[in-house]
């Protein structure tokens, strides 16, 4: 009965035997001749990583980036010493170029109220950002009265004071306490909103303010506030 379902004539049997022989031959060839792994090639003018190679003693060494460009600090492979793969090249001249400009201490102290941006930047420890902050705070104050006011600027180190002085001959801008509005008063760094509002209300109630003694009666002002503010007050 099975012969009825699995009956092959002579031609079918011959074809089946040939197909089986081909399959066995292909499998045997794959075992005897395994497929080699593809070799990665690195462009000589690139910065790509080269594939790791194997030494004769079956140990691996670390392959460094391949770079054939003639620039300082180029990674190169030395045939004599594999361990010394990094060989920085020398520049044409041996002149050392510092990253930042080396500044010298000034021969005499610089006046805080007269120094421009170029003068400030030339001092050790002061860059463009610090110089801009000093000039901005000077404009808000109307001028420096003493060199210690420099420390009122946030993140200014104490060491910078040694480069500066404040000349007595320089006139600074004062606050017209009886004429300026609320918004104009509160622009000064030594006056907040509540202090400026108290001054405006004092003028409205008692008229013109004649001296700092009247401001000392206000609870918004402490002795320290009046001490800092008094050189900038103008009661005319």
């Amino acid at each position: 009965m099975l012969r009825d379902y699995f009956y092959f004539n002579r031609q079918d049997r011959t074809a089946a035997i040939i197909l089986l022989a081909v399959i066995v031959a292909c499998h045997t060839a794959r075992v005897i001749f395994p497929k080699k792994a593809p070799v990665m090639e690195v462009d000589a003018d690139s910065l790509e990583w080269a594939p790791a190679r194997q030494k004769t003693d079956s140990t691996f060494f670390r392959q460094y980036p391949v770079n054939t460009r003639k620039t300082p600090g180029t990674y190169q492979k030395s045939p004599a010493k594999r361990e010394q793969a990094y060989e920085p090249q020398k520049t044409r001249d041996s002149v050392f170029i510092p990253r930042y400009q080396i500044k010298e201490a000034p021969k005499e102290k610089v006046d805080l109220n007269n120094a421009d941006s170029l003068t400030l930047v030339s001092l050790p420890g002061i860059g463009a950002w610090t110089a801009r902050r000093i000039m901005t705070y000077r404009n808000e104050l109307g001028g420096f009265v003493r060199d210690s006011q420099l420390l009122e600027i946030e993140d200014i180190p104490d060491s910078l004071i040694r480069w500066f002085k404040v000349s007595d001959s320089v006139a600074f801008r004062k606050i017209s306490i009886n004429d300026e509005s609320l918004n104009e008063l509160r622009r000064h760094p030594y006056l907040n909103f509540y202090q400026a509002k108290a001054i405006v209300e004092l003028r409205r109630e008692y008229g013109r303010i004649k001296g700092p003694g009247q401001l000392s009666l206000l609870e918004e002002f402490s002795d320290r506030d009046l001490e800092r503010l008094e050189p900038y007050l103008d009661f005319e």
Side-chain angles (χ1 to χ4, degrees):
M1 183 175 182
L2 291 176
R3 187 172 180 178
D4 296 336
Y5 292 99
F6 298 99
Y7 175 76
F8 298 97
N9 56 28
R10 179 178 296 178
Q11 294 179 352
D12 294 338
R13 288 196 299 270
T14 302
I17 293 172
I18 294 174
L19 179 61
L20 182 61
V22 172
I23 294 174
V24 172
C26 292
H27 180 71
T28 304
R30 291 185 59 184
V31 174
I32 298 176
F33 306 102
K35 185 178 180 181
K36 295 183 180 181
V39 179
M40 296 178 60
E41 296 183 358
V42 180
D43 189 2
D45 194 22
S46 67
L47 295 177
E48 299 293 336
W49 288 88
R53 300 179 181 177
Q54 191 173 8
K55 283 186 175 182
T56 55
D57 56 355
S58 300
T59 58
F60 290 90
F61 70 92
R62 184 178 179 183
Q63 181 68 37
Y64 289 89
V66 177
N67 186 359
T68 59
R69 299 171 185 173
K70 297 181 179 180
T71 55
T74 302
Y75 287 92
Q76 296 180 343
K77 294 182 295 182
S78 175
K81 293 184 180 180
R82 289 289 184 180
E83 292 80 11
Q84 192 176 358
Y86 180 70
E87 297 179 358
Q89 299 178 354
K90 295 182 180 180
T91 55
R92 295 180 181 178
D93 51 1
S94 301
V95 178
F96 174 74
I97 302 177
R99 183 177 180 183
Y100 301 102
Q101 179 184 1
I102 300 176
K103 303 178 182 179
E104 297 181 357
K107 296 180 180 179
E108 59 181 11
K109 292 188 175 183
V110 177
D111 193 339
L112 262 175
N113 291 317
N114 289 329
D116 56 8
S117 59
L118 294 178
T119 303
L120 293 174
V121 170
S122 66
L123 299 175
I126 298 180
W129 183 72
T130 303
R132 183 165 56 250
R133 296 183 66 197
I134 293 174
M135 297 182 65
T136 300
Y137 192 65
R138 182 177 64 189
N139 293 332
E140 293 174 352
L141 283 174
F144 290 99
V145 178
R146 50 192 175 274
D147 55 1
S148 59
Q149 290 177 286
L150 190 67
L151 299 181
E152 296 174 3
I153 305 174
E154 188 178 0
D155 296 333
I156 293 292
D158 300 351
S159 59
L160 296 184
I161 298 182
R162 56 182 172 172
W163 311 130
F164 296 104
K165 66 178 181 179
V166 174
S167 177
D168 298 334
S169 60
V170 178
F172 48 87
R173 187 178 69 254
K174 291 192 175 184
I175 305 170
S176 181
I177 202 71
N178 290 304
D179 298 326
E180 293 188 5
S181 63
L182 173 64
N183 291 330
E184 291 172 341
L185 290 172
R186 61 180 296 191
R187 290 196 189 105
H188 198 276
Y190 291 165
L191 287 173
N192 57 38
F193 171 78
Y194 299 101
Q195 291 172 338
K197 183 178 179 181
I199 292 174
V200 173
E201 291 178 352
L202 183 65
R203 289 187 324 208
R204 186 182 301 115
E205 186 174 355
Y206 296 100
R208 297 180 68 85
I209 302 174
K210 299 179 180 180
Q214 290 180 265
L215 296 179
S216 62
L217 300 176
L218 300 174
E219 61 181 5
E220 286 81 5
F221 290 91
S222 64
D223 294 339
R224 173 59 180 163
D225 294 335
L226 292 175
E227 182 183 355
R228 295 194 310 166
L229 188 60
E230 186 174 359
Y232 297 96
L233 298 179
D234 181 13
F235 297 94
E236 296 297 332

